[in-house]
Amino acid sequence: MAQGAAVAKPPPGRTRAPRRHRTGATPRRLPYVLIAPAVLLMLGFIAYPVLSVFYYSLQHHNPTKPWRNGFAGFDNFVTAFTDDPQFWSTLGFSFQWVAVEVVLQLLFGLALALLVNQTFVGRAMARALVFSPWAVSGVLTSVIWVLLYNSQTGIARYLADLGLGSYGTSWLSDTGTVFPAVVVAELWRGVPFFAILILADLQSIPKDLYEAAEVDGAGRLRQFLHITLPHLKDAIILSTLLRAVWEFNNVDLLYTLTGGGPAGETTTLPLRIASIAVDSHDFGYASALTSVAFVLLLFCSVIYLRLSKFGGEDK
């Protein structure tokens, strides 16, 4: 355009308004539309079964005795807390089982993670061996340990050949040895879980922190206490919480190895619930026990996260 040329102006009364970008409703709702199928699936496969358990916990529901079915109110809960001595014994063993397993798995998992985090020849093979038990299914793990604990062909037989025991000893049928035996079997499967999570977090720690600590004269122990552990705090809290819930609900290994025996020595609350539901078909009472277990786990999880200050900054 030539200099000095007049700029065309819009006629009076027809002033052009500035153009605005319209934000329609569809872009705002698009994320919700995309996650709707997943939410519906979660409601169908999680919420509905949970609500069904709470519903049946208030019912007398036994398919083999339909004439007794009907609304029970809180009778099932009263029976659990006052008239069922096995409830308290199985609940106590469940907490004992969780405490022993989680603590030992955390300690061994942390040690293995620190070990395979070092640089040495054959580290890749060592990591594969450490993590391999986690890839084995629970049923196959149970079968492996059933064979290892077999009194005729397992570990006890070889120890007897060395003069370290007597022939025919069954560790899974002796009340004095059954608990350590099942603890060792579950450790073999659970330790890699902690090792995997902790190793992943170890590799994210900046090397500069350790180099600065060495310059300041800090030894290995001080580096571990003041650098490694604080950095692993959230990973340890989360892994112990998840593992505690899983161990509390453990059924497959204990059921396959001992069936809850001998004399109910290894019967956890979930194993007791499974027995009531599958063997006795008393789904109302089993649902009540399941509801109690759900509330206990939820309460303990909330308290644990609050006390541990998960996700918060250390002061």
Side-chain angles (χ1 to χ4, degrees):
M1 179 181 296
Q3 294 182 355
V7 178
K9 297 181 179 180
R14 300 183 61 183
T15 303
R16 182 177 300 175
R19 180 175 297 179
R20 297 179 180 178
H21 295 285
R22 297 181 59 188
T23 304
T26 301
R28 291 199 302 267
R29 298 176 181 175
L30 182 60
Y32 302 99
V33 174
L34 293 177
I35 67 174
V39 172
L40 293 176
L41 287 175
M42 291 181 63
L43 290 176
F45 289 98
I46 298 179
Y48 175 73
V50 170
L51 294 177
S52 297
V53 168
F54 283 114
Y55 169 77
Y56 284 114
S57 67
L58 303 175
Q59 306 289 325
H60 290 301
H61 187 77
N62 191 330
T64 63
K65 300 177 182 178
W67 60 88
R68 297 182 58 184
N69 294 345
F71 182 72
F74 293 100
D75 290 349
N76 290 324
F77 296 96
V78 173
T79 300
F81 288 107
T82 60
D83 298 332
D84 186 2
Q86 294 188 38
F87 168 75
W88 295 107
S89 61
T90 56
L91 182 62
F93 177 75
S94 297
F95 283 115
Q96 177 189 359
W97 169 259
V98 170
V100 172
E101 281 294 338
V102 172
V103 170
L104 292 180
Q105 289 179 21
L106 172 61
L107 293 177
F108 285 112
L110 177 60
L112 283 176
L114 293 173
L115 177 63
V116 298
N117 191 46
Q118 304 299 318
T119 302
F120 56 89
V121 178
R123 184 176 67 171
M125 180 62 67
R127 287 182 176 181
L129 292 176
V130 169
F131 301 153
S132 58
W134 184 246
V136 181
S137 67
V139 175
L140 184 55
T141 299
S142 303
V143 173
I144 292 173
W145 285 96
V146 165
L147 296 175
L148 289 175
Y149 287 146
N150 187 283
S151 59
Q152 303 298 324
T153 60
I155 300 175
R157 170 62 183 272
Y158 290 101
L159 292 178
D161 292 339
L162 297 174
L164 301 177
S166 58
Y167 291 99
T169 301
S170 178
W171 294 342
L172 296 177
S173 60
D174 188 344
T175 56
T177 58
V178 63
F179 183 69
V182 294
V183 164
V184 171
E186 183 63 14
L187 281 177
W188 183 80
R189 179 173 66 169
V191 167
F193 170 77
F194 284 95
I196 293 171
L197 291 184
I198 294 175
L199 177 62
D201 215 22
L202 280 174
Q203 294 179 338
S204 66
I205 302 178
K207 302 298 183 183
D208 297 341
L209 296 178
Y210 293 103
E211 295 175 357
E214 290 180 358
V215 172
D216 292 338
R220 289 292 183 89
L221 181 59
R222 294 186 63 185
Q223 292 179 25
F224 175 75
L225 294 177
H226 297 284
I227 298 177
T228 305
L229 276 185
H231 189 89
L232 296 177
K233 173 190 171 185
D234 286 346
I236 291 176
I237 294 173
L238 181 60
S239 59
T240 51
L241 177 60
L242 292 176
R243 198 61 190 164
V245 174
W246 292 343
E247 290 297 346
F248 186 90
N249 294 318
N250 189 328
V251 172
D252 54 355
L253 184 133
L254 290 174
Y255 180 81
T256 306
L257 289 180
T258 66
E265 288 290 325
T266 58
T267 302
T268 59
L269 183 58
L271 198 57
R272 166 80 171 151
I273 294 171
S275 175
I276 294 173
V278 176
D279 299 334
S280 302
H281 305 288
D282 192 351
F283 294 103
Y285 187 54
S287 298
L289 295 181
T290 303
S291 301
V292 172
F294 175 81
V295 173
L296 284 175
L297 286 177
L298 181 62
F299 175 77
C300 293
S301 300
V302 172
I303 295 299
Y304 178 68
L305 291 177
R306 292 291 299 272
L307 293 178
S308 62
K309 299 180 181 179
F310 176 72
E313 296 182 358
D314 296 331
K315 293 183 180 180

